[in-house]
Amino acid sequence: MTVPEGKANKTATEAAVEAATEAAGAAGATGATGATDGAADPTRPRRRQARGEARIAQLLRAAADVFCTSGYTASSTNAIAREAGVSPGTLYQFFPNKEAIAVELGDRLLDRWRETYGAAFDQSHTELPLDRLLDAVLDPLIAFNCENPAFFVLMHGSEIPGRITEAHDTLHATMLTRVESVLADYLPDMPAPQIHRIAEMAFMVFKAGLDLVMASEGEERTAYIQELKTVMFRYLDPLVGDDASCPATAEHIDTP
């Protein structure tokens, strides 16, 4: 059968395009996996990955700023893209929607929060006097929240993605257990149920005080931090101080 000249030329052109496409795809696959024949630059995949991570970090910083300014619910991917100085199309190369951005930011902040409270509740701190113990535990926790206000927004919003809420609830339970452990070292003879109640009360006092700290700035924030420590000290000192067996009175309670 004789193939018309036009059809033959079209078939040859299509074959050439397919061959070129396959060659390009093979080259791209080699670059993506890092495999080389000695001619390709083995550092190129690393640089591409580094650029991608840098872009993700840029977008997450922008999202943190937007969430803090507008709140999670009122924020949008367009606003995050504008804050990052990129197009919405660039943002969608890395995140499909606002929820995905929030989850990634929340996961990273939660990881850093775990490291922070892990160091704050170091077992060696139980050897300190109560006022110094409060400094050792509360200072890094407060500092983290002040330095990462988006963490506060993501952990307290009413429409935050469920995955973040679940992770935060788990973290809350873990921290409460750490507080109980510290109190148990100070109060070895106290029944576990009572230690649990004291730990919950101390934890809730801290959370309430932190709300006031985060709502303030400058000298006012510093003042609220001191007030929070004073409240915690006055609550715990009659329990774990040298005069723990004595009723709490204004005469024997000193502020730190």
Side-chain angles (χ1 to χ4, degrees):
M1 178 178 179
T2 302
V3 180
E5 182 179 354
K7 181 66 174 176
N9 290 340
K10 183 177 180 181
T11 303
T13 302
E14 289 176 347
V17 170
E18 290 176 359
T21 301
E22 290 176 358
T30 299
T33 58
T36 66
D37 296 327
D41 182 356
T43 65
R44 181 173 297 174
R46 295 194 188 95
R47 284 203 291 266
R48 286 178 179 172
Q49 183 176 11
R51 284 197 296 270
E53 284 299 322
R55 181 68 76 190
I56 289 173
Q58 177 187 6
L59 291 168
L60 293 179
R61 286 193 299 270
D65 291 340
V66 172
F67 291 157
C68 290
T69 301
S70 305
Y72 174 77
T73 302
S75 298
S76 67
T77 52
N78 285 342
I80 294 171
R82 282 196 302 271
E83 182 69 23
V86 302
S87 68
T90 297
L91 182 150
Y92 289 128
Q93 290 178 13
F94 299 94
F95 298 104
N97 50 44
K98 180 179 71 173
E99 180 177 346
I101 298 173
V103 168
E104 178 66 22
L105 178 60
D107 284 348
R108 295 192 181 200
L109 289 173
L110 281 167
D111 285 343
R112 291 167 58 190
W113 177 243
R114 291 185 186 95
E115 294 175 0
T116 300
Y117 84 72
F121 284 99
D122 187 275
Q123 196 67 24
S124 64
H125 292 163
T126 59
E127 301 173 3
L128 298 173
L130 179 59
D131 56 344
R132 291 176 58 194
L133 169 70
L134 290 174
D135 287 339
V137 172
L138 298 183
D139 283 347
L141 301 183
I142 294 172
F144 176 89
N145 280 272
C146 292
E147 294 166 5
N148 300 279
F151 179 75
F152 194 80
V153 173
L154 289 176
M155 298 306 132
H156 294 80
S158 59
E159 298 185 18
I160 300 301
R163 174 175 166 181
I164 297 178
T165 303
E166 292 173 3
H168 178 257
D169 290 344
T170 300
L171 187 61
H172 176 105
T174 303
M175 287 189 65
L176 184 60
T177 299
R178 298 293 289 272
V179 174
E180 291 179 10
S181 177
V182 170
L183 287 172
D185 286 337
Y186 275 92
L187 304 167
D189 299 325
M190 183 170 287
Q194 188 173 354
I195 287 181
H196 177 74
R197 286 193 297 271
I198 295 171
E200 278 200 313
M201 182 61 69
F203 195 64
M204 294 306 294
V205 168
F206 169 74
K207 289 179 63 178
L210 185 61
D211 287 345
L212 293 171
V213 169
M214 295 300 295
S216 307
E217 295 181 355
E219 294 182 359
E220 191 72 3
R221 172 174 285 181
T222 301
Y224 272 117
I225 291 173
Q226 186 56 47
E227 287 298 319
L228 174 57
K229 290 182 179 180
T230 299
V231 170
M232 297 286 288
F233 183 86
R234 290 186 172 181
Y235 173 58
L236 294 172
D237 183 55
L239 300 169
V240 304
D242 293 336
D243 298 325
S245 60
C246 301
T249 64
E251 288 74 21
H252 93 272
I253 297 178
D254 299 321
T255 57

